[in-house]
Amino acid sequence: MTGADDDYVYDEATGEWRPASEMTTAAAREVRDASGNLLNDGDSVTLIKDLKVKGANQTLKQGTVIRSIRLTDNPDEIDCRHDTIKGLVLRTEFVRKR
């Protein structure tokens, strides 16, 4: 008999094989902004400092609003889209939830 508890997934963070049921709860990590506010998919954030965008020769100014963020597998990064930059990934330490 095979159940969900019999499936194991390699956890790269700990270097251990863990039950898949544990990994689903671990995947629901909390993602927080620079002020400690909880971020969710679809939230809007504001930049707290000027950021030079690599490869775009552009600087995003402090106070710029980024709408409809998406959380990534990394709790320190969010995926977002700006009017002039597609595929933008920002570190959560540089944003504050609106």
Side-chain angles (χ1 to χ4, degrees), residues 38-82:
L38 190 62
L39 295 174
N40 298 306
D41 283 335
D43 284 347
S44 294
V45 295
T46 305
L47 297 180
I48 61 171
K49 67 178 277 184
D50 292 351
L51 297 175
K52 292 181 181 178
V53 181
K54 294 179 182 178
N57 293 332
Q58 186 176 3
T59 300
L60 293 175
K61 298 292 183 185
Q62 177 179 350
T64 301
V65 176
I66 306 291
R67 290 178 174 75
S68 299
I69 65 167
R70 286 179 289 159
L71 303 181
T72 64
D73 292 337
N74 185 345
D76 295 328
E77 296 178 347
I78 55 173
D79 189 27
C80 46
R81 181 177 293 180
H82 187 263

Side-chain angles (χ1 to χ4, degrees), residues 1-54:
M1 184 161 90
T2 304
D5 293 334
D6 297 331
D7 296 333
Y8 285 84
V9 178
Y10 184 73
D11 183 5
E12 292 181 18
T14 63
E16 299 174 344
W17 286 93
R18 303 180 66 141
S21 58
E22 282 184 23
M23 293 303 292
T24 55
T25 57
R29 291 185 227 175
E30 292 183 344
V31 178
R32 298 195 177 267
D33 68 2
S35 300
N37 299 317
L38 190 62
L39 295 174
N40 298 306
D41 283 335
D43 284 347
S44 294
V45 295
T46 305
L47 297 180
I48 61 171
K49 67 178 277 184
D50 292 351
L51 297 175
K52 292 181 181 178
V53 181
K54 294 179 182 178

